[in-house]
Amino acid sequence: MRHRHFWWISSTLMLVLNPAYADAERGQYTLEQAIDTALSNNPELGIMQARIEQANAQLGESLASFYPQIKASLSYQHSDNPAQAFSMIIAQRRLSFAGNDFNHPGGVDNYRPQVTATYSLFRGGQDYYRKQAAELGIETSELEKAATRNQLVNHVTAAYYGELAAMEAHEVSRRSITAVQSELDQSRIRFDAGTVLKSDVLSLEVQLAEAKDAEIQTANAIELAQSMLKTLLGLSTNEAFAINSTQQAALPEAPAVFDELLNQALSSHPELKAAEKRVAIAEQQLKVAQAAHLPRADAFVSYGSDSKDLAFSSNRDNVSAGVMLEVDVFSGFATQERIKKAEHELTATQETVRQTRLRIENQLKSAQLKLQEALSSAEVSRVAVQSAEEALRLVNEQRQAGVVTVTRYIEAEVARDKAHARQINARFDALRAEAELKQATGFWQ
């Protein structure tokens, strides 16, 4: 039960991680190598980079409004309507008063190739506000990528320490099997000699079975943890993979005071900064909607020719140029509704900033308390392990001398294993809490 409880904690922490994927070379990985591999190959970061490029493209699209728009067209028209036919004949420069019945012109064909250029003179500032929003969109996408990077580093770190914790728990269970097996062998010899009760032998057999069961569970925990890291690093199930278990991470230092950590997070946390940028974008979008009440002015020029066939001739070309000013007098309340929509969007983004800040404060406080608790537990468990080891040594000597019962030996051995499990939990809890604290403060970016 002691090992099951330990693995339940470790596995729960690992299973809540969102999977990320990366390609890496085979061999043993240090934590730094695992993080670097994930950062260079993780598809989620690739998605965020694509969103940055999308934001850049959106900026380019908004800048298009500041350039002339040029279009080429070709139209064809056939009509026997006297007014239209007469107009087309005049445009084709072939009007003749001799022999023409203007009331019955017959069918007339007209081809018109044309090039038209338009230029926006004024749109109430809508083009400028859209450009501002697009620029803010790029900054927001970059901050969101930084936030995703923070999460990925935290997840890789937690998964890495999860496997190390499982490996150390497995080693504890193996030592327990060796110790109990040795004691069981000696007890069987003493039982055959008539100096030990059958119940003592049976108790040790039960203890050995529990130790073997714990060893099986911890071995399975290592496999599950390794599978998690393979997924994080983009390795297939059959590829060789191992972490560098010889690398011993030192216990982190005690965290700074909460106000100092909070000031750091509020000044640099990418999620909070991204939420604030979205407020600025919403403000620009509101200005765009409000600018629809203002008049719009466009200049245009077109060049083309009219003919009864597709043959082009400069004798039949013509140029038209002008300026058009328009304003929406009544749009069926569409403009007003768009303004309301933008106002509500602005309110929503402002509330998102407040929500993000509260969440960061909670994560920060939680990580700080977890780190403090884990560091305190690590110190207490260190002393407890020393005491438990010494107690087991003394009980074992007394057991060899026949002074204490096997029940007392089993109690001492169980206490020793629990002390080691608590020490493992405390050390890796501290390392995971440190990673969470770095994410909460935006340190990883």
Side-chain angles (χ1 to χ4, degrees), residues 61 70 98 128 143 319 382 444:
E61 183 180 357
I70 302 175
Y128 172 77
L143 288 168
V319 177
R382 182 185 65 82
W444 290 119

Side-chain angles (χ1 to χ4, degrees), residues 31-32 157 160-161 164 168 245-254 371 374-375 378 423 426-435 438:
L31 175 59
E32 292 74 16
T157 302
Y160 192 92
Y161 287 141
L164 284 176
E168 291 197 14
S245 59
T246 62
Q247 184 186 28
Q248 294 294 325
L251 280 175
E253 297 180 357
L371 181 53
L375 290 174
Q423 186 180 43
R427 184 157 65 89
F428 287 106
D429 282 349
L431 292 170
R432 281 190 286 257
E434 182 189 33
K438 289 180 177 180

Side-chain angles (χ1 to χ4, degrees), residues 164-179:
L164 284 176
M167 293 172 69
E168 291 197 14
H170 182 253
E171 184 61 28
V172 170
S173 64
R174 291 179 63 182
R175 288 200 304 265
S176 178
I177 290 175
T178 301

Side-chain angles (χ1 to χ4, degrees), residues 369-379 425-427 429-430 433:
L369 293 175
K370 285 180 180 178
L371 181 53
Q372 291 174 340
E373 178 184 358
L375 290 174
S376 299
S377 297
E379 178 59 26
N425 273 329
R427 184 157 65 89
D429 282 349

